[in-house]
PDB file of all heavy atoms in Angstrom:
ATOM      1  N   VAL A 312       2.995  16.619 -25.211  1.00 89.00           N
ATOM      2  CA  VAL A 312       1.666  17.219 -25.108  1.00 89.00           C
ATOM      3  C   VAL A 312       0.625  16.140 -25.360  1.00 89.00           C
ATOM      4  O   VAL A 312       0.597  15.531 -26.427  1.00 89.00           O
ATOM      5  CB  VAL A 312       1.492  18.353 -26.143  1.00 89.00           C
ATOM      6  CG1 VAL A 312       0.124  19.002 -25.981  1.00 89.00           C
ATOM      7  CG2 VAL A 312       2.599  19.390 -26.000  1.00 89.00           C
ATOM      8  N   ALA A 313      -0.215  15.880 -24.382  1.00 84.00           N
ATOM      9  CA  ALA A 313      -1.214  14.824 -24.528  1.00 84.00           C
ATOM     10  C   ALA A 313      -2.285  15.245 -25.523  1.00 84.00           C
ATOM     11  O   ALA A 313      -2.789  16.365 -25.474  1.00 84.00           O
ATOM     12  CB  ALA A 313      -1.841  14.535 -23.168  1.00 84.00           C
ATOM     13  N   MET A 314      -2.591  14.318 -26.423  1.00 80.00           N
ATOM     14  CA  MET A 314      -3.619  14.604 -27.435  1.00 80.00           C
ATOM     15  C   MET A 314      -4.558  13.423 -27.551  1.00 80.00           C
ATOM     16  O   MET A 314      -4.122  12.269 -27.484  1.00 80.00           O
ATOM     17  CB  MET A 314      -2.976  14.822 -28.806  1.00 80.00           C
ATOM     18  CG  MET A 314      -2.126  16.057 -28.905  1.00 80.00           C
ATOM     19  SD  MET A 314      -1.411  16.156 -30.563  1.00 80.00           S
ATOM     20  CE  MET A 314      -0.332  17.570 -30.344  1.00 80.00           C
ATOM     21  N   ALA A 315      -5.817  13.735 -27.786  1.00 75.00           N
ATOM     22  CA  ALA A 315      -6.791  12.661 -27.977  1.00 75.00           C
ATOM     23  C   ALA A 315      -6.989  12.414 -29.458  1.00 75.00           C
ATOM     24  O   ALA A 315      -7.144  13.358 -30.229  1.00 75.00           O
ATOM     25  CB  ALA A 315      -8.114  13.054 -27.344  1.00 75.00           C
ATOM     26  N   THR A 316      -6.918  11.157 -29.832  1.00 73.00           N
ATOM     27  CA  THR A 316      -7.226  10.814 -31.218  1.00 73.00           C
ATOM     28  C   THR A 316      -8.242   9.689 -31.190  1.00 73.00           C
ATOM     29  O   THR A 316      -8.541   9.148 -30.130  1.00 73.00           O
ATOM     30  CB  THR A 316      -5.982  10.315 -31.977  1.00 73.00           C
ATOM     31  OG1 THR A 316      -5.623   9.026 -31.455  1.00 73.00           O
ATOM     32  CG2 THR A 316      -4.810  11.270 -31.802  1.00 73.00           C
ATOM     33  N   GLU A 317      -8.717   9.326 -32.362  1.00 70.00           N
ATOM     34  CA  GLU A 317      -9.675   8.219 -32.405  1.00 70.00           C
ATOM     35  C   GLU A 317      -9.046   6.925 -31.929  1.00 70.00           C
ATOM     36  O   GLU A 317      -9.716   6.049 -31.404  1.00 70.00           O
ATOM     37  CB  GLU A 317     -10.200   8.031 -33.830  1.00 70.00           C
ATOM     38  CG  GLU A 317     -11.438   8.863 -34.094  1.00 70.00           C
ATOM     39  CD  GLU A 317     -11.838   8.818 -35.559  1.00 70.00           C
ATOM     40  OE1 GLU A 317     -11.449   7.847 -36.245  1.00 70.00           O
ATOM     41  OE2 GLU A 317     -12.508   9.765 -36.003  1.00 70.00           O
ATOM     42  N   GLN A 318      -7.737   6.801 -32.152  1.00 67.00           N
ATOM     43  CA  GLN A 318      -7.036   5.580 -31.726  1.00 67.00           C
ATOM     44  C   GLN A 318      -6.747   5.595 -30.230  1.00 67.00           C
ATOM     45  O   GLN A 318      -6.337   4.598 -29.675  1.00 67.00           O
ATOM     46  CB  GLN A 318      -5.698   5.429 -32.483  1.00 67.00           C
ATOM     47  CG  GLN A 318      -5.853   4.903 -33.896  1.00 67.00           C
ATOM     48  CD  GLN A 318      -6.430   5.960 -34.798  1.00 67.00           C
ATOM     49  OE1 GLN A 318      -6.115   7.140 -34.658  1.00 67.00           O
ATOM     50  NE2 GLN A 318      -7.282   5.562 -35.716  1.00 67.00           N
ATOM     51  N   GLY A 319      -6.944   6.756 -29.622  1.00 69.00           N
ATOM     52  CA  GLY A 319      -6.671   6.838 -28.193  1.00 69.00           C
ATOM     53  C   GLY A 319      -5.745   7.984 -27.869  1.00 69.00           C
ATOM     54  O   GLY A 319      -5.574   8.920 -28.635  1.00 69.00           O
ATOM     55  N   LEU A 320      -5.135   7.898 -26.710  1.00 73.00           N
ATOM     56  CA  LEU A 320      -4.278   8.981 -26.236  1.00 73.00           C
ATOM     57  C   LEU A 320      -2.889   8.855 -26.840  1.00 73.00           C
ATOM     58  O   LEU A 320      -2.315   7.770 -26.859  1.00 73.00           O
ATOM     59  CB  LEU A 320      -4.178   8.904 -24.715  1.00 73.00           C
ATOM     60  CG  LEU A 320      -3.264   9.936 -24.055  1.00 73.00           C
ATOM     61  CD1 LEU A 320      -3.931  11.285 -24.061  1.00 73.00           C
ATOM     62  CD2 LEU A 320      -2.933   9.518 -22.628  1.00 73.00           C
ATOM     63  N   VAL A 321      -2.363   9.948 -27.366  1.00 79.00           N
ATOM     64  CA  VAL A 321      -0.953   9.961 -27.782  1.00 79.00           C
ATOM     65  C   VAL A 321      -0.276  11.153 -27.119  1.00 79.00           C
ATOM     66  O   VAL A 321      -0.927  12.140 -26.792  1.00 79.00           O
ATOM     67  CB  VAL A 321      -0.790  10.064 -29.316  1.00 79.00           C
ATOM     68  CG1 VAL A 321      -1.218   8.775 -29.967  1.00 79.00           C
ATOM     69  CG2 VAL A 321      -1.540  11.248 -29.867  1.00 79.00           C
ATOM     70  N   VAL A 322       1.024  11.022 -26.942  1.00 84.00           N
ATOM     71  CA  VAL A 322       1.769  12.117 -26.321  1.00 84.00           C
ATOM     72  C   VAL A 322       2.978  12.455 -27.194  1.00 84.00           C
ATOM     73  O   VAL A 322       4.101  12.046 -26.880  1.00 84.00           O
ATOM     74  CB  VAL A 322       2.212  11.741 -24.888  1.00 84.00           C
ATOM     75  CG1 VAL A 322       2.804  12.959 -24.178  1.00 84.00           C
ATOM     76  CG2 VAL A 322       1.038  11.206 -24.079  1.00 84.00           C
ATOM     77  N   PRO A 323       2.776  13.197 -28.295  1.00 88.00           N
ATOM     78  CA  PRO A 323       3.934  13.597 -29.102  1.00 88.00           C
ATOM     79  C   PRO A 323       4.725  14.672 -28.385  1.00 88.00           C
ATOM     80  O   PRO A 323       4.188  15.373 -27.517  1.00 88.00           O
ATOM     81  CB  PRO A 323       3.287  14.154 -30.373  1.00 88.00           C
ATOM     82  CG  PRO A 323       1.916  14.559 -29.967  1.00 88.00           C
ATOM     83  CD  PRO A 323       1.509  13.670 -28.840  1.00 88.00           C
ATOM     84  N   THR A 324       6.004  14.777 -28.734  1.00 91.00           N
ATOM     85  CA  THR A 324       6.856  15.725 -28.007  1.00 91.00           C
ATOM     86  C   THR A 324       7.384  16.807 -28.930  1.00 91.00           C
ATOM     87  O   THR A 324       7.699  16.568 -30.097  1.00 91.00           O
ATOM     88  CB  THR A 324       8.055  14.993 -27.379  1.00 91.00           C
ATOM     89  OG1 THR A 324       8.756  14.297 -28.419  1.00 91.00           O
ATOM     90  CG2 THR A 324       7.610  14.009 -26.334  1.00 91.00           C
ATOM     91  N   ILE A 325       7.474  17.999 -28.371  1.00 93.00           N
ATOM     92  CA  ILE A 325       8.106  19.117 -29.066  1.00 93.00           C
ATOM     93  C   ILE A 325       9.518  19.198 -28.522  1.00 93.00           C
ATOM     94  O   ILE A 325       9.726  19.363 -27.309  1.00 93.00           O
ATOM     95  CB  ILE A 325       7.354  20.431 -28.796  1.00 93.00           C
ATOM     96  CG1 ILE A 325       5.905  20.278 -29.242  1.00 93.00           C
ATOM     97  CG2 ILE A 325       8.031  21.592 -29.533  1.00 93.00           C
ATOM     98  CD1 ILE A 325       5.044  21.484 -28.966  1.00 93.00           C
ATOM     99  N   LYS A 326      10.491  19.068 -29.417  1.00 92.00           N
ATOM    100  CA  LYS A 326      11.883  18.952 -28.964  1.00 92.00           C
ATOM    101  C   LYS A 326      12.535  20.305 -28.757  1.00 92.00           C
ATOM    102  O   LYS A 326      12.285  21.262 -29.499  1.00 92.00           O
ATOM    103  CB  LYS A 326      12.691  18.153 -30.001  1.00 92.00           C
ATOM    104  CG  LYS A 326      12.107  16.791 -30.374  1.00 92.00           C
ATOM    105  CD  LYS A 326      12.211  15.796 -29.226  1.00 92.00           C
ATOM    106  CE  LYS A 326      11.972  14.366 -29.648  1.00 92.00           C
ATOM    107  NZ  LYS A 326      10.615  14.111 -30.107  1.00 92.00           N
ATOM    108  N   LYS A 327      13.397  20.311 -27.755  1.00 91.00           N
ATOM    109  CA  LYS A 327      14.293  21.458 -27.523  1.00 91.00           C
ATOM    110  C   LYS A 327      13.517  22.776 -27.441  1.00 91.00           C
ATOM    111  O   LYS A 327      13.857  23.775 -28.084  1.00 91.00           O
ATOM    112  CB  LYS A 327      15.281  21.539 -28.692  1.00 91.00           C
ATOM    113  CG  LYS A 327      16.715  21.712 -28.305  1.00 91.00           C
ATOM    114  CD  LYS A 327      17.600  21.390 -29.504  1.00 91.00           C
ATOM    115  CE  LYS A 327      18.819  22.278 -29.546  1.00 91.00           C
ATOM    116  NZ  LYS A 327      19.614  22.136 -30.747  1.00 91.00           N
ATOM    117  N   VAL A 328      12.477  22.774 -26.625  1.00 93.00           N
ATOM    118  CA  VAL A 328      11.581  23.939 -26.537  1.00 93.00           C
ATOM    119  C   VAL A 328      12.327  25.187 -26.124  1.00 93.00           C
ATOM    120  O   VAL A 328      11.966  26.299 -26.532  1.00 93.00           O
ATOM    121  CB  VAL A 328      10.410  23.642 -25.561  1.00 93.00           C
ATOM    122  CG1 VAL A 328       9.569  24.891 -25.326  1.00 93.00           C
ATOM    123  CG2 VAL A 328       9.540  22.530 -26.109  1.00 93.00           C
ATOM    124  N   GLN A 329      13.409  25.021 -25.332  1.00 89.00           N
ATOM    125  CA  GLN A 329      14.116  26.219 -24.867  1.00 89.00           C
ATOM    126  C   GLN A 329      14.701  27.015 -26.031  1.00 89.00           C
ATOM    127  O   GLN A 329      14.983  28.199 -25.895  1.00 89.00           O
ATOM    128  CB  GLN A 329      15.204  25.868 -23.839  1.00 89.00           C
ATOM    129  CG  GLN A 329      16.366  25.032 -24.355  1.00 89.00           C
ATOM    130  CD  GLN A 329      16.246  23.568 -23.978  1.00 89.00           C
ATOM    131  OE1 GLN A 329      15.324  22.906 -24.407  1.00 89.00           O
ATOM    132  NE2 GLN A 329      17.196  23.073 -23.202  1.00 89.00           N
ATOM    133  N   SER A 330      14.902  26.357 -27.199  1.00 89.00           N
ATOM    134  CA  SER A 330      15.489  27.078 -28.326  1.00 89.00           C
ATOM    135  C   SER A 330      14.420  27.561 -29.316  1.00 89.00           C
ATOM    136  O   SER A 330      14.742  28.119 -30.359  1.00 89.00           O
ATOM    137  CB  SER A 330      16.480  26.165 -29.055  1.00 89.00           C
ATOM    138  OG  SER A 330      15.765  25.110 -29.686  1.00 89.00           O
ATOM    139  N   LEU A 331      13.150  27.340 -29.008  1.00 91.00           N
ATOM    140  CA  LEU A 331      12.076  27.709 -29.937  1.00 91.00           C
ATOM    141  C   LEU A 331      11.347  28.958 -29.478  1.00 91.00           C
ATOM    142  O   LEU A 331      11.203  29.206 -28.278  1.00 91.00           O
ATOM    143  CB  LEU A 331      11.054  26.565 -30.055  1.00 91.00           C
ATOM    144  CG  LEU A 331      11.571  25.219 -30.568  1.00 91.00           C
ATOM    145  CD1 LEU A 331      10.443  24.200 -30.571  1.00 91.00           C
ATOM    146  CD2 LEU A 331      12.172  25.359 -31.953  1.00 91.00           C
ATOM    147  N   SER A 332      10.868  29.704 -30.468  1.00 90.00           N
ATOM    148  CA  SER A 332      10.025  30.854 -30.150  1.00 90.00           C
ATOM    149  C   SER A 332       8.588  30.359 -30.037  1.00 90.00           C
ATOM    150  O   SER A 332       8.276  29.236 -30.417  1.00 90.00           O
ATOM    151  CB  SER A 332      10.118  31.888 -31.267  1.00 90.00           C
ATOM    152  OG  SER A 332       9.498  31.344 -32.438  1.00 90.00           O
ATOM    153  N   ILE A 333       7.718  31.232 -29.566  1.00 90.00           N
ATOM    154  CA  ILE A 333       6.316  30.837 -29.428  1.00 90.00           C
ATOM    155  C   ILE A 333       5.714  30.517 -30.788  1.00 90.00           C
ATOM    156  O   ILE A 333       4.938  29.567 -30.941  1.00 90.00           O
ATOM    157  CB  ILE A 333       5.526  31.932 -28.685  1.00 90.00           C
ATOM    158  CG1 ILE A 333       5.946  31.909 -27.213  1.00 90.00           C
ATOM    159  CG2 ILE A 333       4.022  31.698 -28.810  1.00 90.00           C
ATOM    160  CD1 ILE A 333       5.284  32.925 -26.345  1.00 90.00           C
ATOM    161  N   LEU A 334       6.095  31.250 -31.802  1.00 89.00           N
ATOM    162  CA  LEU A 334       5.568  30.989 -33.138  1.00 89.00           C
ATOM    163  C   LEU A 334       6.037  29.626 -33.642  1.00 89.00           C
ATOM    164  O   LEU A 334       5.264  28.849 -34.208  1.00 89.00           O
ATOM    165  CB  LEU A 334       6.011  32.102 -34.096  1.00 89.00           C
ATOM    166  CG  LEU A 334       5.395  32.037 -35.499  1.00 89.00           C
ATOM    167  CD1 LEU A 334       3.872  32.156 -35.405  1.00 89.00           C
ATOM    168  CD2 LEU A 334       5.954  33.144 -36.386  1.00 89.00           C
ATOM    169  N   GLU A 335       7.315  29.329 -33.388  1.00 90.00           N
ATOM    170  CA  GLU A 335       7.844  28.032 -33.809  1.00 90.00           C
ATOM    171  C   GLU A 335       7.141  26.901 -33.068  1.00 90.00           C
ATOM    172  O   GLU A 335       6.821  25.855 -33.635  1.00 90.00           O
ATOM    173  CB  GLU A 335       9.361  27.963 -33.547  1.00 90.00           C
ATOM    174  CG  GLU A 335      10.162  28.780 -34.539  1.00 90.00           C
ATOM    175  CD  GLU A 335      11.623  28.934 -34.120  1.00 90.00           C
ATOM    176  OE1 GLU A 335      11.893  28.998 -32.886  1.00 90.00           O
ATOM    177  OE2 GLU A 335      12.478  29.007 -35.003  1.00 90.00           O
ATOM    178  N   ILE A 336       6.879  27.107 -31.791  1.00 92.00           N
ATOM    179  CA  ILE A 336       6.168  26.099 -31.000  1.00 92.00           C
ATOM    180  C   ILE A 336       4.755  25.914 -31.552  1.00 92.00           C
ATOM    181  O   ILE A 336       4.259  24.791 -31.697  1.00 92.00           O
ATOM    182  CB  ILE A 336       6.108  26.495 -29.505  1.00 92.00           C
ATOM    183  CG1 ILE A 336       7.513  26.498 -28.893  1.00 92.00           C
ATOM    184  CG2 ILE A 336       5.208  25.543 -28.724  1.00 92.00           C
ATOM    185  CD1 ILE A 336       7.576  27.097 -27.493  1.00 92.00           C
ATOM    186  N   THR A 337       4.110  27.034 -31.888  1.00 92.00           N
ATOM    187  CA  THR A 337       2.748  26.977 -32.422  1.00 92.00           C
ATOM    188  C   THR A 337       2.711  26.138 -33.693  1.00 92.00           C
ATOM    189  O   THR A 337       1.833  25.289 -33.876  1.00 92.00           O
ATOM    190  CB  THR A 337       2.224  28.394 -32.721  1.00 92.00           C
ATOM    191  OG1 THR A 337       2.298  29.177 -31.539  1.00 92.00           O
ATOM    192  CG2 THR A 337       0.788  28.348 -33.212  1.00 92.00           C
ATOM    193  N   LYS A 338       3.678  26.360 -34.561  1.00 91.00           N
ATOM    194  CA  LYS A 338       3.701  25.643 -35.833  1.00 91.00           C
ATOM    195  C   LYS A 338       3.991  24.168 -35.626  1.00 91.00           C
ATOM    196  O   LYS A 338       3.368  23.305 -36.249  1.00 91.00           O
ATOM    197  CB  LYS A 338       4.736  26.264 -36.776  1.00 91.00           C
ATOM    198  CG  LYS A 338       4.305  27.609 -37.327  1.00 91.00           C
ATOM    199  CD  LYS A 338       5.351  28.199 -38.255  1.00 91.00           C
ATOM    200  CE  LYS A 338       4.819  29.487 -38.887  1.00 91.00           C
ATOM    201  NZ  LYS A 338       5.868  30.246 -39.586  1.00 91.00           N
ATOM    202  N   GLU A 339       4.937  23.875 -34.747  1.00 93.00           N
ATOM    203  CA  GLU A 339       5.297  22.479 -34.500  1.00 93.00           C
ATOM    204  C   GLU A 339       4.138  21.739 -33.835  1.00 93.00           C
ATOM    205  O   GLU A 339       3.837  20.592 -34.160  1.00 93.00           O
ATOM    206  CB  GLU A 339       6.565  22.400 -33.634  1.00 93.00           C
ATOM    207  CG  GLU A 339       6.988  20.998 -33.208  1.00 93.00           C
ATOM    208  CD  GLU A 339       7.353  20.053 -34.351  1.00 93.00           C
ATOM    209  OE1 GLU A 339       7.335  20.471 -35.540  1.00 93.00           O
ATOM    210  OE2 GLU A 339       7.636  18.882 -34.071  1.00 93.00           O
TER     211      GLU A 339
END
Side-chain angles (χ1 to χ4, degrees):
Chain A
V312 182
M314 293 179 186
T316 70
E317 270 172 23
Q318 282 73 37
L320 177 75
V321 289
V322 188
T324 56
I325 302 177
K326 307 290 194 294
K327 228 164 145 187
V328 173
Q329 65 259 64
S330 68
L331 300 178
S332 68
I333 288 179
L334 187 61
E335 286 169 327
I336 294 170
T337 304
K338 287 180 175 169
E339 175 62 2

